[in-house]
């Protein structure tokens, strides 16, 4: 094949693959939700092989073709929510970034794509993502209560359970920014893994993350937790609702990062003392099912950012 036509043929094939994956993600009930994450891979490959501009052109062409088959709403939502992720991964690989840098850029692209997708639904379709999710949660609770009522559960018990649902939902509304970030994190993780799996089969190497026992986060998350606790206190005592809402999200985010570093520290200690895989898994399970231990691990991980317990263990 003529070398001048090979990139065009490759681009056309990858656009066709993205079209098939897009149609499958729309029309296949369960498998489609998984294939959405693989929809980013053709654009990652194009970015690596032919550059970012060609990949953006292919993304626009694939979106137009999808519009012809499934309509503008579904096609544009898929393109906005997942397209930037594939472009970001491919661009990072072409720039020879390491695994951590690739993931940070991919996470940023996934979060931006998530926000843009929600804005598209709100301004174009007049669909409020947060209200829709809360409505679905309420309906799920009501369906559960109806099922328990049909099983003969005491009405007083059901009413008590219903009374506890609303505070839970109110807390979820406050934590929606963090929930959106976690959704972006999930999108970035799965898309990164899917790209890595496919690209390695094509002979394109992607860098690996460092061993889990070596994971350490910057100390900024420890400071974030401290400021968040102060903000939560001021928010409650001085009636500053916006400050309280921001602080509770910052606190949750810092605790989640601290929990990851805490488990990394446990993994380091397990390597240090040569614990078996069975013992390690038992430790992880015991910590995960115990709320107090989980908080202790999160705080330990946060303080490890300052004290560096790994260095103390090696000494």
């Amino acid at each position: 094949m003529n070398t001048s036509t090979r990139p065009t043929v490759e681009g056309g094939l990858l656009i066709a693959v993205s079209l098939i994956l897009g149609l499958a993600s729309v029309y296949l009930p369960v498998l489609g939700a998984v294939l959405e994450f693989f929809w980013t891979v053709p654009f990652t490959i194009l970015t690596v092989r032919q550059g970012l501009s060609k990949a953006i052109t292919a993304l626009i062409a694939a979106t137009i073709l999808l519009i012809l088959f499934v309509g503008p709403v579904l096609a544009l939502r898929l393109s906005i929510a997942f397209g930037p992720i594939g472009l970001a991964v491919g661009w990072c690989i072409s720039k020879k970034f390491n695994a951590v840098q690739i993931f940070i850029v991919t996470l940023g692209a996934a979060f931006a794509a998530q926000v843009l997708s929600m804005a598209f639904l709100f301004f174009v379709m007049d669909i409020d993502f947060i209200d829709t999710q809360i409505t679905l949660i309420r309906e799920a609770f009501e369906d559960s209560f109806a099922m328990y009522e049909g099983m003969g559960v005491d009405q007083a018990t059901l009413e008590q359970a219903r009374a506890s649902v609303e505070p839970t939902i109110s807390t979820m509304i406050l934590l929606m920014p963090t929930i959106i970030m976690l959704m972006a994190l999930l999108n970035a993780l799965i898309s990164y893994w899917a790209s890595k799996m496919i690209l390695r089969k094509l002979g394109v190497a992607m860098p690996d993350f460092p061993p889990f026992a070596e994971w350490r986060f910057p100390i900024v998350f420890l400071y974030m937790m401290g400021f968040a606790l102060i903000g939560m206190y001021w928010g409650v005592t001085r009636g500053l609702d916006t400050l309280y809402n921001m602080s509770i999200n910052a606190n949750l985010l810092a605790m989640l990062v601290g929990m990851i570093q805490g488990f990394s520290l446990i993994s380091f200690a397990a390597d240090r003392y040569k614990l078996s895989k069975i013992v390690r898994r038992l430790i992880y399970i015991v910590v995960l099912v115990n709320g107090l231990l989980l908080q202790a691990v999160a705080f330990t991980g946060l303080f490890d950012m300052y004290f560096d317990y790994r260095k103390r263990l090696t000494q």
Side-chain angles (χ1 to χ4, degrees), residues 36-96:
E36 280 187 340
F37 299 100
F38 286 87
W39 191 77
T40 64
V41 177
F43 309 109
T44 300
I45 297 172
L46 266 176
T47 306
V48 173
R49 291 182 180 271
Q50 300 186 28
L52 185 61
S53 60
K54 295 287 183 65
I56 293 174
T57 303
L59 175 60
I60 295 172
T63 304
I64 293 172
L65 289 173
L66 271 177
I67 289 174
L68 298 176
F69 286 97
V70 301
V73 176
L74 294 175
L76 289 173
R77 189 206 67 82
L78 183 65
S79 177
I80 294 171
F82 292 95
I85 302 175
L87 299 176
V89 174
W91 180 77
C92 290
I93 295 172
S94 66
K95 296 296 182 181
K96 308 296 184 183

Side-chain angles (χ1 to χ4, degrees), residues 265-277:
L265 182 60
I266 292 174
S267 179
F268 177 86
D271 290 341
R272 173 73 176 168
Y273 298 107
K274 296 180 174 59
L275 299 182
S276 66
K277 291 183 178 180

Side-chain angles (χ1 to χ4, degrees), residues 123-200:
F123 290 108
V124 177
M125 300 301 300
D126 197 24
I127 298 174
D128 191 320
F129 174 82
I130 297 177
D131 285 345
T132 302
Q133 298 304 311
I134 296 302
T135 300
L136 291 174
I137 292 171
R138 282 198 174 99
E139 290 176 353
F141 276 118
E142 288 301 324
D143 291 340
S144 300
F145 292 144
M147 181 185 68
Y148 287 128
E149 190 173 4
M151 294 170 60
V153 177
D154 181 55
Q155 192 66 31
T157 304
L158 288 176
E159 290 300 325
Q160 185 178 1
R162 279 194 176 95
S164 64
V165 166
E166 202 57 38
T168 302
I169 293 177
S170 300
T171 303
M172 290 184 66
I173 294 173
L174 292 179
L175 295 175
M176 195 55 68
T178 303
I179 293 173
I180 294 171
M181 173 61 79
L182 292 177
M183 292 169 60
L185 176 63
L186 180 64
N187 289 351
L189 278 172
I190 299 178
S191 298
Y192 179 90
W193 171 81
S195 299
K196 186 174 183 178
M197 183 178 65
I198 300 298
L199 286 173
R200 282 192 171 178

